[in-house]
Amino acid sequence: MNPGLLRLILAQVCLHAAMTGTRLAAPLLALRDGYSPAAVGMLLALFALTQVFLALPAGRFADRHGLRLPLTIAVVAATTGAALAGAFPVFPVLCVAALLTGGATGIAVIALQRHVGRAATNPTQLKQVFSWLAIAPAAANFVGPFATGLLIDHAGPVPGDMIGFRVAFALLALLPIACWLLARGTVELPHISLPAGAPRPRAWDLLAQPMFRRLLFVNWMQSAAWDVHTFVLPLLGHERGLSASMIGSILGAFAVAAAAIRVVLPLVASRFSERSVIAASNVVTALVFAVYPLMTSALGMGACSVVLGIALGAVQPMVMSMLHQITPHARHGEALGLRVMTLNASSVAMPMLFGAAGALIGVAGVFWIVGGVVAAGTRSVWGLQVPPRGE
């Protein structure tokens, strides 16, 4: 890994951790102030909802302006959101903080992914850089909540005191500034313009490309599998009589496995094609979903969680590598924005669908149906083709 890529990974960790920390502190503060679980659920939805509407404009903006300007806007938005929450810790301001930090994360991710993808010189390097970059969200999902929780419990005179919340928000407001300091020396890549006289492109034109459409569908399947595991596992664990800490440990094992495989992928990227990795992930995911509901012990569920984490964790770098090879160079940001918009819209809608399905057919039925969809979708994976170099 070169120093420039390392700085960008650390920059993403800082900015993403500001959002994940706010995503922990804001609901806790709302509950502390007596707001209902429904209000807290709405607050949490705002973190993802912003990205549904901002992703496509953010992708187009990155195509026109490169890395530094979108990243600067993201840094200002995230810092402002966390600072406002610390200065005015009331529910309406917490909602604004959720919108700002969530939107900032989406803008930054698209700009960073576009930049590192364009900087790669061959398919193997694409798989490597996206494997390294995919570690950043996993690290931020630990750093942000962990640091925030410590400050909320220990920075004030008593755990959960308002002083602790204010100190936590102050730290979260500083993290995006660290992101800017780390990334400010990055050299912009040459701008790629559309051919003179070409009609103004529309984002939906990308969906007219069969390979992009197929890749988006495959990515959605994997994302839905990730979401159903996160949402349904606590219900399954509760049915099995597991404690909250045990269920949390099983989910933690999934996250660790997903991050670990992304550390290994750059070392073996040259040995496997993107299609073969995604196809193997589909098959393993379908098998795990078939046996998961049959597990009655924490050990068995933990083993399934680890295997599933390895399978699903390997997919994103491969999808990102293929996306950069099958979409026009001048429209990488737009393609990334369309992908982020689709997956975030799914993440908002899927939990409600899973909840309704679980009430009708049971938790095990949800696992089996999603596993069946993933298994059937493996045929779409084999249809993925990367155009020859130079096309």
Side-chain angles (χ1 to χ4, degrees), residues 134-135 138 226 229 249-265 302-315:
I135 297 171
W226 190 301
H229 181 256
S249 298
I250 294 171
L251 282 171
F254 172 85
V256 170
I261 190 62
R262 291 171 180 176
V263 175
V264 175
L265 277 177
C304 287
S305 185
V306 169
V307 174
L308 190 64
I310 292 171
L312 295 179
V315 170

Side-chain angles (χ1 to χ4, degrees), residues 6 9 23 38-39 63 79 98 107 116 130 137 175 199 202 211 225 229 239 255 261 285 296 302 347:
L6 178 60
I9 291 171
R23 196 169 59 190
D63 281 334
T79 296
I107 293 170
V116 300
F130 280 122
L175 284 175
R202 298 177 303 169
M211 211 50 61
H229 181 256
E239 282 188 1
I261 190 62
T285 298
T296 57
S347 293

Side-chain angles (χ1 to χ4, degrees), residues 167 205 361:
V167 172
D205 295 338
I361 61 176

Side-chain angles (χ1 to χ4, degrees), residues 224-225 228-229 232 236 239-240 282 285-296 304 354 357-358 361-377:
V228 75
H229 181 256
V232 179
L236 185 65
E239 282 188 1
R240 300 291 185 268
N282 257 47
T285 298
L287 291 174
V288 171
F289 270 46
V291 302
Y292 217 133
L294 305 178
M295 296 295 154
T296 57
C304 287
F354 297 150
I361 61 176
V363 175
V366 175
F367 268 110
W368 289 330
I369 287 177
V370 175
V373 171
V374 172

Side-chain angles (χ1 to χ4, degrees), residues 25 33 61 115 133-134 146 160 164 184-185 192 204 227 261 268 270 277 297 319 327 341 351-352 360 371 376:
D33 291 343
F61 191 80
H115 179 85
L133 195 65
F146 181 72
R184 64 176 179 170
I192 300 178
W204 306 113
D227 286 342
I261 190 62
V268 299
S270 61
V277 172
S297 67
V319 168
T327 54
M341 183 184 74
M352 293 184 286
L360 289 174

Side-chain angles (χ1 to χ4, degrees), residues 51 76 111 142 146 167 194 222 226 269 272 290 309 318 323 331 359:
Q51 299 184 39
V76 171
F142 171 76
F146 181 72
V167 172
L194 292 169
Q222 300 285 345
W226 190 301
F272 304 100
M318 302 298 117
L323 184 145
R331 302 182 67 187

Side-chain angles (χ1 to χ4, degrees), residues 136-150:
N141 283 332
F142 171 76
V143 171
F146 181 72
T148 300
L150 283 179

